[in-house]
Amino acid sequence: MSESQDFVSRRTMLKTAGATLGAAAFARALAPVAEVVEELGAEEFLQKHYREMTPAELEVVLRRIEADALENYGAEVHVRDVRPREGVQFGYALNLSVCIGCRRCADACHRENNHDRRTNQSYIRVLEMQQGSFDMEHGDATYDHAVPQPGKYYMPVQCQQCDNPPCVDVCPVEATWKERDGIVVVDYDWCIGCRYCEAACPYHARRFNWEAPEIPAEEVNPDQAYLSNRIRPQGVMEKCTFCLHRTREGRLPACLEACPTGARVFGNLLDPSSEIRWVLANKRVFVLKEELGTRPRFFYFFDE
Amino acid sequence: MELAISIGAVVLAACGPDPDIIAWRAGLGASTERSPEAEAALFPTTIHEPPELTSITTSDGVPGTACATCHSIAGVTPESRATSADEVGGPHAGLRFAHGSNTCGACHASDDPTSLRLADGRALPMREAMTLCAQCHGPQYRDYQHGSHGGMRGHWDRSVGPRERNHCVDCHDPHAPRYPSFRPMPPPRDRVAPVVPRHEGAPRHE
């Protein structure tokens, strides 16, 4: 009798010890998650994918992003969720004959989209190209002399909003996708920062946030959208969104408004009387790296 | 068989381009003009009016001086055969002139300093200068009319809001129309390494 009692109590003791060890190991395994939660806040950690959020859930997220901007940047911003419009397919064309390489488009993008001030980032890279050559590898994006230079032409390159986007195919977590109106977007809160999309893009159009952007409060553009120009966190990818917070409300993109020569043509591909359709029907239009089958929405042309 | 066809259609729809995209590709080459009624229903497109159209900066540096300030005085009439501003003298002295082989009278009406002169001799108000430019620069004017030449601001969708467009003269000095060269906005800087001036043959960043 006493022997069996002994046996039971030893078993209980072993079980208890095992359970304690197990719990400690589990806690240790979870420790990195706890750190992440501490850094992000539980709400953000548990946030759903943009496309799975209900309007009410999204509303909470938008207000949280506004509060974060106020806390981290001292800027009062308004973050909206702007959806694609029915019957609109965006297209962009650029006239290489009139582009003078002034980089005002890149500068407008820099300010409109709340890019890091220190590194002067922008979604647009203007390449200075040798006339007669189409070798983009030898295009110079860092020229800093009077423009236009004799013997050169200028080719601004930004996201081509491909209809067959390789960057979307390679994303392991579906943090980037093509919207109904043709714009390729990123859910910055879902992106894990693996940079596969940056490697996959043949146009070098995606950027990685090595650090959280530095922007003085008074320079923050307060007109923001969840999928476009809200201030991106550190460690995520970003890209041109055709200024969807402007264009989905009928306005022209910031880079186009900044262009002094009118090299840029933007509009609805489904509207036969739009300027973009006139360009496609009447100019000698081409796309970059057509042979890759990416089917860009961004067209280039020369005047005859 | 029917099942196979419907599966085929689904597969095609999944792999092929969006039906919307097929629609616009099929419509390429169709008429791109908007009917006058449709145009009237839209917000207006206004053309910016640069001050150069109605005033000059005099040679002693007074900007915004209306043409009539001097030209309303009896005896001050433009010389149509003058080939340079210095020949005209006065407030126009020192004006840079480089517009082909045109003389003053090619564009300006000699009997009315506030009017331009079309190639057929008709007078044209200064504000409508674009019509005068279009006489010689047809392709540019055509492109302008179709939104592919000259800067603009506002809305691509004019059922939502208006648009403002540049005038020829906003960018091209009518007396020396070639766009001048100037310094561009600063280039992007590398995120990690400090900026080092790039020399011939050095590797490129960004």
Side-chain angles (χ1 to χ4, degrees), chain B residues 19-109:
Chain B
D20 278 350
I21 300 165
I22 297 173
W24 77 256
R25 282 191 201 275
L28 272 188
S31 164
T32 55
E33 300 303 321
R34 220 190 297 261
S35 72
E37 298 80 40
E39 185 69 26
L42 300 172
F43 279 87
T45 295
T46 52
I47 297 175
H48 178 245
E49 190 175 280
E52 290 84 357
L53 283 181
T54 50
S55 65
I56 65 158
T57 299
T58 58
S59 52
D60 49 348
V62 185
T65 306
C67 307
T69 307
C70 301
H71 288 284
S72 60
I73 302 165
V76 181
T77 40
E79 169 54 65
S80 67
R81 279 159 302 169
T83 53
S84 77
D86 291 330
E87 271 180 55
V88 180
H92 297 296
L95 179 79
R96 200 165 74 85
F97 191 76
H99 196 162
S101 54
N102 287 323
T103 59
C104 304
C107 300
H108 290 279

Side-chain angles (χ1 to χ4, degrees), chain A residues 44-57:
Chain A
E44 195 173 345
F45 179 69
L46 295 172
Q47 182 182 318
K48 288 186 195 163
H49 189 284
Y50 170 80
R51 289 193 288 185
E52 290 175 353
M53 277 190 269
T54 63
E57 287 168 334

Side-chain angles (χ1 to χ4, degrees), chain A residues 8-42:
Chain A
V8 168
S9 72
R10 190 199 293 146
R11 214 164 101 161
T12 312
M13 185 199 74
L14 281 173
K15 266 160 95 180
T16 314
T20 314
L21 273 173
F26 186 64
R28 177 149 179 92
L30 277 185
V33 178
E35 265 170 45
V36 172
V37 173
E38 199 173 301
E39 212 173 276
L40 281 179

Side-chain angles (χ1 to χ4, degrees), chain A residues 124-137:
Chain A
I124 304 171
R125 193 177 279 112
V126 184
L127 299 179
E128 184 173 71
M129 307 273 286
Q130 195 65 41
Q131 271 179 13
S133 155
F134 224 83
D135 185 0
M136 287 168 70
E137 301 304 315

Side-chain angles (χ1 to χ4, degrees), chain A residues 85 89-90 95 100-104 107 117-121 125 139-147 163 207-208 210 247 249-252 256-257 259-262 265-266 268-273 275 277-281 283 295 297 303-304, chain B residues 15-18 20-21 23-34 139 142-143 145-160 163 165-166 171 179-192 198 204-206:
Chain A
R85 266 169 51 183
Q89 292 284 322
F90 286 121
N95 187 348
I100 49 174
C102 66
R103 262 203 213 102
R104 287 204 191 121
D107 180 63
R117 291 297 181 261
R118 197 171 52 84
T119 49
N120 198 23
Q121 279 308 296
R125 193 177 279 112
D140 181 4
T142 57
Y143 63 89
D144 199 10
H145 47 65
V147 291
D163 281 345
R207 309 276 190 280
F208 183 64
W210 291 96
T247 52
E249 292 177 349
R251 295 163 66 202
L252 290 162
L256 187 147
E257 286 198 344
C259 179
T261 67
V265 183
F266 182 83
N268 182 6
L269 293 169
L270 296 182
D271 175 5
S273 60
E275 281 106 351
R277 282 286 291 270
W278 185 84
V279 166
L280 294 183
K283 294 285 187 179
R295 287 193 277 129
R297 286 283 178 108
D303 286 336
E304 63 271 48
Chain B
C15 312
D18 199 278
D20 278 350
I21 300 165
W24 77 256
R25 282 191 201 275
L28 272 188
S31 164
T32 55
E33 300 303 321
R34 220 190 297 261
R142 175 202 61 204
D143 289 355
Q145 285 177 306
H146 290 98
S148 63
H149 187 119
M152 62 172 87
R153 292 156 296 282
H155 292 76
W156 65 264
D157 182 355
R158 283 168 51 229
S159 66
V160 174
R163 186 186 290 178
R165 303 204 55 188
N166 284 350
C171 300
Y179 208 91
S181 84
F182 62 101
R183 278 208 80 87
M185 303 301 287
R189 287 179 287 272
D190 198 281
R191 297 176 191 82
V192 196
R198 200 163 54 75
R204 286 181 171 79
H205 300 284
E206 270 304 310

